[in-house]
Amino acid sequence: MAKMWAGRTDGATEQIADDFNSSIHFDSRMYRQDITGSMAHAAMLAAKNIITNEDADQLIAGLEGILNDLDSGALEFDMTCEDIHMFVEQVLTQRLGDVGKKLHTARSRNDQVALDIRMYLRAEIDEITGLVTELVKAVTDKAETYKAAIMPGYTHLQRAQPITFGHHLMAYAMMLLRDLQRLADCRKRMNLSPIGCCALAGTTYDTDRYFEAERLGFDGICLNSLDGVSDRDFCAELMSAIAVLMMHLSRFSEEIILWSSWEFKFVELSDAYTTGSSIMPQKKNPDMAELVRGKTGRVYGDLMALLTTLKGLPLAYNKDMQEDKEAVFDAVDTVKMCLKVFTGMVATMTANTANMKLAAQRGFINATDLADYLVKKDMPFRSAYKISGSLVALCIRENTVLEQLPLDTYKTYSDLFEEDLYEAIDLVACVEKRISVGGPSVSQVEKQIQYVKEVIA
Ligand code: ARG
């Protein structure tokens, strides 16, 4: 087929080469950014007297018509076009004649595509930010509900010390706040305009790059024209931020999967977010959480694909860079889908607080508190630790718990033990006494909830 760039070559390209080269089936999603970018370009060309005002008006009206027709479905993408940029220019020229051919003055597809991706991803960051904020709210609401629900806190997946479910959930809220910061930080560096860098070496026309940047909502411009067209750091940065976010969702998923098992029975997922088995009638599977965990690997892969594509590229534009889009679009689509499902799953999840309490009662998670009891009576911590450990070993031998051992037995280990030791190792008291900042006591968890609410407000 005849190419808009025919001139240097006039031999027709093979169909298979066209298909291989074409990106319209994945870059057509940037049509809005491509068209609004072109409108700003036409306006700048007129403002700088590079084209007439009449030509610019025609171009802008023509572009607006294409945008409306694509929005309404009156115009369909021509999948034989090489990419979205060629498609828009082709329709514009069909509709306007020679005036349409003036649009590409002082511009290249190299700066055009860089502009489109930045604008497209900027909007995606805003959407992802909204979705993460929704999730933070859902997590924080759950934490509020369960701020007094005692559960064992774990290290090495072994019962360690008493916390509350609310405290545990707020750990995820803090992780998600960092994800929001990473997204905002990435957006700052992304929001610089590459348009006007042209193919690589700028232009001899007296253009105004700031005019276009300002019209398109950028905070500034890329200050080196080679860098402007070669830079895909903003894609890699966004994908890194998304990869970390997915890692957080994956860890949370893993816990939800464990907690839903019969072995734990700490949480019950809503039927709306679980599936059954085709053979085992009793099953209620946490598929949504498993899929989020699974898709995390896929998003890591997207990041690696882009980094690997970029690593050996000489400046400036190389066609390899067309591979950026499928990877970054996949990462963005995947994280958005995961966030939506995850938020619904968390919002409808209920905790089995009785089972959590039961688990907290088995596992000697108040052994540190027992040692602290002796320390408060002036015993050095290491000695107190030894005695507490010996008492745990005794309980295990006799199949009992620290709360059930008689005071007489305690006294054979240390004279310092008195009746008030039972109060000191009571689970509720153990949590409530953990008043250090960031800790699990209800008052500290309330402060964490308050802080998170203020940050996302
Ligand atoms: N479809 C191309 C891409 O996505 C647009 C830029 C093409 N530039 C070029 N000189 N061939 O990267």
Side-chain angles (χ1 to χ4, degrees), residues 21-23 26-27 30 82-85 108-110 113 117 232 317-325:
N21 200 39
S22 164
S23 56
F26 53 82
D27 64 23
M30 303 192 301
E82 192 177 323
D83 52 32
I84 183 62
H85 327 293
S108 152
R109 274 186 299 158
N110 297 350
V113 72
I117 315 173
R232 293 292 182 275
Y317 179 82
N318 301 270
K319 189 75 172 191
D320 315 44
M321 290 163 74
Q322 181 165 286
E323 291 290 314
D324 59 357
K325 281 173 279 305

Side-chain angles (χ1 to χ4, degrees), residues 263-279:
E263 283 67 18
F264 278 81
K265 270 288 160 224
F266 283 4
V267 302
E268 179 81 26
L269 292 177
S270 152
D271 293 355
Y273 290 93
T274 50
T275 58
S277 155
S278 58
I279 174 173

Side-chain angles (χ1 to χ4, degrees), residues 150 152 159 266 352-363 427:
I150 308 260
R159 291 174 193 171
F266 283 4
N352 188 331
T353 54
N355 263 343
M356 287 180 172
K357 185 80 186 278
L358 219 58
Q361 285 159 346
R362 316 243 162 85
L427 284 178

Side-chain angles (χ1 to χ4, degrees), residues 234-271:
F234 57 94
C235 294
E237 277 192 50
L238 175 57
M239 287 158 99
S240 309
I242 293 176
V244 174
L245 169 54
M246 286 297 298
M247 178 268 286
H248 291 158
L249 296 185
S250 187
R251 292 180 80 170
F252 204 166
S253 293
E254 170 63 14
E255 298 213 286
I256 288 174
I257 294 161
L258 282 172
W259 293 335
S260 311
S261 69
W262 279 102
E263 283 67 18
F264 278 81
K265 270 288 160 224
F266 283 4
V267 302
E268 179 81 26
L269 292 177
S270 152
D271 293 355

Side-chain angles (χ1 to χ4, degrees), residues 398-433:
E398 308 207 335
N399 192 25
T400 182
V401 293
L402 292 171
E403 290 88 332
Q404 304 288 327
L405 280 184
L407 185 56
D408 287 348
T409 312
Y410 275 106
K411 290 238 183 242
T412 63
Y413 284 77
S414 167
D415 286 342
L416 295 174
F417 284 120
E418 304 286 350
E419 194 62 39
D420 61 351
L421 81 91
Y422 297 103
E423 158 68 21
I425 61 169
D426 172 71
L427 284 178
V428 175
C430 290
V431 168
E432 273 317 292
K433 281 182 302 182

